[in-house]
Amino acid sequence: RRIVTFEIDEIRERRLAVPLRWEESAAIVRSLRLVEKVRESDEITSFVFEARDGAPLPMFEAGQYLPIELEVPGIEGPVSRTYSLSGPPSTERYRISVKREPKGIASRHLHDRVEVGAIIDARHPAGEDLMLPCAQCPVALISAGVGITPMMSLLHELAEESGERPVWFIHGASDGARHVLSKETRDLAERRQAVTLHFAYSSPGSNETLGKDFDSEGRIDGQLVTALVDAPDAHYLLCGPTGFMAGIQDALERNGVPPENIHTESFGPKG
């Protein structure tokens, strides 16, 4: 697990030598160093990585995920998982925000054993399901629980856009204690007047006030979404439990939203 870096000044091919094989795939796996570990809630922690060798990382698109490989004690071979990138698109840092699953091999290892300075392997960011589908069309980012993670990356990108594209950011959580990255969300929304936030708490705490800490009580459903989003050409990006997304998608389609305007990525328990 060492890195050796070569700087090539010139290449000479000899007639009887084995041909040089130069493939981009040789650089797919990168070693990353954990530089920040931030506990966002009792269940979710953010992990910020930089390149171990200090070189630029591959740029990613908002909405993509990061495939990582972990060496977990007691497990033969690397444990591979994919986690949504939750920070702004960058060549300097990658941030993932991971929910600790009680029986999850990878998530428990990350939460319990991986500390600042640790090294992990990662492949290039990938995934197209939740990338912004259009340049200036209205978009509604709709999530529940840890499904907020790719939406944060998208909101970072949208907050830096010029123009007046309407954006709705609709997120559901149990209560304020489980509503992760809420301050970051509000700070990003303040950068653009065209961003509308709506937070729904299914079980708000006794010290949480409707209209101040959250905007509606109960779970997000199709009726709420259609009442909030008033753009007929909007694209809807959904991330959360399968049942949550299926219900909203069904309601949207019954209200005339074309299926091609609905983009989904499910978040269920991971190992």
Side-chain angles (χ1 to χ4, degrees), residues 47-121:
F47 301 82
V48 180
F49 297 95
E50 294 179 354
R52 182 182 183 181
D53 58 9
L57 294 165
M59 176 63 79
F60 67 92
E61 296 281 346
Q64 290 191 305
Y65 53 77
L66 182 67
I68 66 172
E69 297 178 354
L70 303 171
E71 298 293 334
V72 180
I75 303 296
E76 184 176 354
V79 175
S80 299
R81 294 291 187 272
T82 58
Y83 294 106
S84 291
L85 289 148
S86 60
S90 170
T91 60
E92 298 179 0
R93 289 186 160 196
Y94 290 161
R95 183 180 75 176
I96 59 175
S97 301
V98 180
K99 181 180 179 181
R100 187 186 190 279
E101 298 291 348
K103 298 182 179 180
I105 294 172
S107 63
R108 287 190 295 121
H109 176 75
L110 283 167
H111 277 248
D112 302 345
R113 295 176 177 268
V114 177
E115 301 297 340
V116 170
I119 303 296
I120 71 164
D121 287 336

Side-chain angles (χ1 to χ4, degrees), residues 16-229:
L16 299 178
V18 175
L20 177 66
R21 294 189 294 272
W22 189 277
E23 298 180 2
E24 185 179 1
S25 61
I28 285 179
V29 177
R30 293 289 297 273
S31 287
L32 306 181
R33 185 187 308 277
L34 182 63
V35 296
E36 289 184 27
K37 182 177 180 180
V38 181
R39 188 176 183 182
E40 308 287 3
S41 71
D42 289 346
E43 297 180 317
I44 297 175
T45 294
S46 290
F47 301 82
V48 180
F49 297 95
E50 294 179 354
R52 182 182 183 181
D53 58 9
L57 294 165
M59 176 63 79
F60 67 92
E61 296 281 346
Q64 290 191 305
Y65 53 77
L66 182 67
I68 66 172
E69 297 178 354
L70 303 171
E71 298 293 334
V72 180
I75 303 296
E76 184 176 354
V79 175
S80 299
R81 294 291 187 272
T82 58
Y83 294 106
S84 291
L85 289 148
S86 60
S90 170
T91 60
E92 298 179 0
R93 289 186 160 196
Y94 290 161
R95 183 180 75 176
I96 59 175
S97 301
V98 180
K99 181 180 179 181
R100 187 186 190 279
E101 298 291 348
K103 298 182 179 180
I105 294 172
S107 63
R108 287 190 295 121
H109 176 75
L110 283 167
H111 277 248
D112 302 345
R113 295 176 177 268
V114 177
E115 301 297 340
V116 170
I119 303 296
I120 71 164
D121 287 336
R123 298 185 179 272
H124 284 196
E128 299 179 353
D129 292 343
L130 287 185
M131 290 168 53
L132 289 174
C134 43
Q136 286 297 323
C137 66
V139 292
L141 311 180
I142 305 167
S143 58
V146 73
I148 196 174
T149 53
M151 302 307 179
M152 292 305 302
S153 184
L154 289 161
L155 188 59
H156 271 280
E157 182 169 312
L158 291 163
E160 298 301 324
E161 276 189 346
S162 57
E164 298 299 323
R165 180 212 296 260
V167 176
W168 290 266
F169 191 100
I170 305 169
H171 178 67
S174 298
D175 52 32
R178 292 174 177 80
H179 181 185
V180 298
L181 303 170
S182 59
K183 183 180 185 303
E184 183 175 324
T185 305
R186 296 181 191 277
D187 290 345
L188 289 170
E190 287 180 359
R191 299 182 189 178
R192 283 192 58 187
Q193 292 185 347
V195 177
T196 300
L197 296 182
H198 187 97
F199 301 138
Y201 287 179
S202 58
S203 302
S206 57
N207 61 335
E208 292 168 341
T209 305
L210 180 65
K212 178 184 176 182
D213 303 302
F214 62 102
D215 302 291
S216 65
E217 185 171 350
R219 299 184 185 277
I220 296 173
D221 57 19
Q223 183 178 357
L224 175 65
V225 172
T226 53
L228 291 171
V229 182

Side-chain angles (χ1 to χ4, degrees), residues 247-258:
I248 293 175
Q249 182 167 358
D250 180 65
L252 292 175
E253 291 183 4
R254 283 190 282 105
N255 277 274
V257 176

